[in-house]
Amino acid sequence: MDAQDGAPAADPILRAGAGAVVDGDRAFVRRAMRLPLLSPEQEVTLAQAWRDHQDQTALHKLVAPHMRLVISTAVRFRHYGLPVSDLIQEGNLGLMQAAARFEPAREVRFSTYASWWIRAAIQDFVLRNWSIVRTGTTAAHKSLFFNLRRLRARIERGGQDVLTPEGRRMLARQLNVSESDVAHMEGRLAAGDRSLNAVIGVDGDSDWQDLLVDDRPDPEALSMARHDSRLKKRWLGEALADLPERERRILQARFFSDHTITLERIGAHMGISKERVRQLEHQALTRLRRRLGDIPGLQPN
């Protein structure tokens, strides 16, 4: 059955979610539900007029009767804690996308085609706004997010709210995800977001954020680290200055330049062999370690 053919059945769903629809939207919902459905021939005529001539009147006549499809789909997602009016707005965007891409020559009812776009738009909105933590980054994870509750109730036969290990394995196989993904999503859906500004206890003397541990170094440690860095840099400069010029140039090229220069290139530049450069480098490092080792409290690497 086409989505449009079953649209009148949306009334019980709307009644079930009536508490989530604010008073300002009720008149809009009633008007949308009273609009007559289109025949297949009318759909084709209106879709062609919009596609070929950008007829705004035809577009309005095409999408208006399908507002009931948007509303019924939006109400089905009301359990995620988002305003139904916002879900309807997102569904409207999906409906307009469907109208822009609909090809009447394919002989598919517009309601059937639009239902996919409407549901996709609402699902994307739910995933973006259900939590401040991003949820459902892949198609499999999105399917897990939207089907976990339903499949959990079917697998556990409504007996408990937490999946058993066997139930978790069954659900992971059905949705082609790992068991750890199922466990993680189950915890995310059960916990929700919590504010760090929420008070602790009855008296409310402190917030949750007061219990967070700051792992960053304190200002005193930062100041000491900067002081030590400047001191070590000065000592290193003095130790390098005491080296013979050729050894100092080799160490600077090998360890203190933006791009490390090979022994072969240094040898070619200085007119000596690569092996001789290696010997001078080793000799210079030995001198440098000895010089820095004479400084009390400094352990050179």
Side-chain angles (χ1 to χ4, degrees):
M1 179 182 294
D2 284 339
Q4 178 173 311
D5 296 336
D11 289 346
I13 300 175
L14 287 177
R15 288 196 295 271
V21 180
V22 297
D23 292 337
D25 296 323
R26 295 185 188 278
F28 166 77
V29 172
R30 285 194 293 268
R31 287 196 303 271
M33 299 303 293
R34 285 198 299 264
L35 290 174
L37 301 177
L38 299 174
S39 67
E41 293 77 15
Q42 289 174 316
E43 279 186 7
V44 171
T45 300
L46 293 172
Q48 289 176 340
W50 164 242
R51 184 195 61 186
D52 299 336
H53 306 293
Q54 297 297 294
D55 188 335
Q56 295 288 335
T57 301
L59 174 63
H60 175 73
K61 290 180 179 179
L62 176 64
V63 300
H66 294 87
M67 283 303 305
R68 68 186 70 202
L69 184 58
V70 172
I71 296 167
S72 63
T73 305
V75 170
R76 293 188 182 99
F77 289 87
R78 69 189 183 278
H79 298 297
Y80 292 98
L82 299 172
V84 173
S85 58
D86 290 349
L87 297 174
I88 291 174
Q89 290 293 336
E90 292 298 318
N92 284 337
L93 296 177
L95 179 60
M96 297 306 295
Q97 284 284 343
R101 299 170 182 267
F102 181 59
E103 289 292 341
R106 295 184 180 274
E107 299 182 355
V108 175
R109 292 299 300 270
F110 179 68
S111 57
T112 302
Y113 182 75
S115 63
W116 291 97
W117 284 94
I118 294 168
R119 183 165 59 252
I122 293 176
Q123 286 181 339
D124 286 345
F125 177 76
V126 171
L127 288 172
R128 292 196 311 270
N129 295 275
W130 177 78
S131 170
I132 59 175
V133 180
R134 189 173 182 181
T135 305
T137 55
T138 66
H141 287 166
K142 290 178 183 179
S143 177
L144 176 60
F145 177 84
F146 288 109
N147 292 290
L148 177 60
R149 289 191 180 97
R150 176 178 57 83
L151 292 178
R152 180 177 59 193
R154 180 187 302 174
I155 291 173
E156 302 298 344
R157 301 183 183 278
Q160 58 188 48
D161 294 331
V162 180
L163 281 167
T164 62
E166 178 60 27
R168 192 173 293 120
R169 283 192 292 270
M170 292 177 59
L171 202 152
R173 285 196 299 269
Q174 290 187 32
L175 297 178
N176 194 28
V177 295
S178 66
E179 293 182 38
S180 61
D181 287 338
V182 175
H184 175 74
M185 188 64 71
E186 190 177 18
R188 291 282 295 111
L189 292 175
D193 294 336
R194 295 181 181 180
S195 174
L196 292 176
N197 296 115
V199 297
I200 302 174
V202 179
D203 298 333
D205 295 333
S206 59
D207 300 340
W208 281 108
Q209 63 183 357
D210 296 334
L211 303 180
L212 293 178
V213 178
D214 189 355
D215 296 327
R216 296 174 299 178
D218 55 45
E220 182 180 359
L222 289 174
S223 178
M224 290 296 296
R226 286 194 294 267
H227 176 267
D228 290 347
S229 178
R230 289 194 296 268
L231 195 58
K232 291 177 180 179
K233 185 176 181 179
R234 191 190 74 192
W235 287 338
L236 180 60
E238 293 175 353
L240 285 172
D242 289 342
L243 294 176
E245 180 181 357
R246 191 163 58 170
E247 294 179 8
R248 183 173 64 252
R249 288 169 55 192
I250 291 174
L251 291 188
Q252 288 174 339
R254 292 283 290 163
F255 302 106
F256 301 104
S257 62
D258 293 335
H259 303 285
T260 302
I261 302 176
T262 64
L263 298 174
E264 186 175 2
R265 287 187 58 190
I266 296 174
H269 180 73
M270 301 180 69
I272 57 179
S273 67
K274 182 175 71 172
E275 183 58 32
R276 180 54 180 159
V277 175
R278 191 193 313 277
Q279 294 173 358
L280 290 172
E281 177 186 302
H282 177 73
Q283 183 174 307
L285 289 174
T286 301
R287 292 176 189 270
L288 192 63
R289 291 191 183 97
R290 187 182 304 117
R291 175 69 171 80
L292 294 176
D294 294 336
I295 299 174
L298 181 64
Q299 297 295 328
N301 294 325

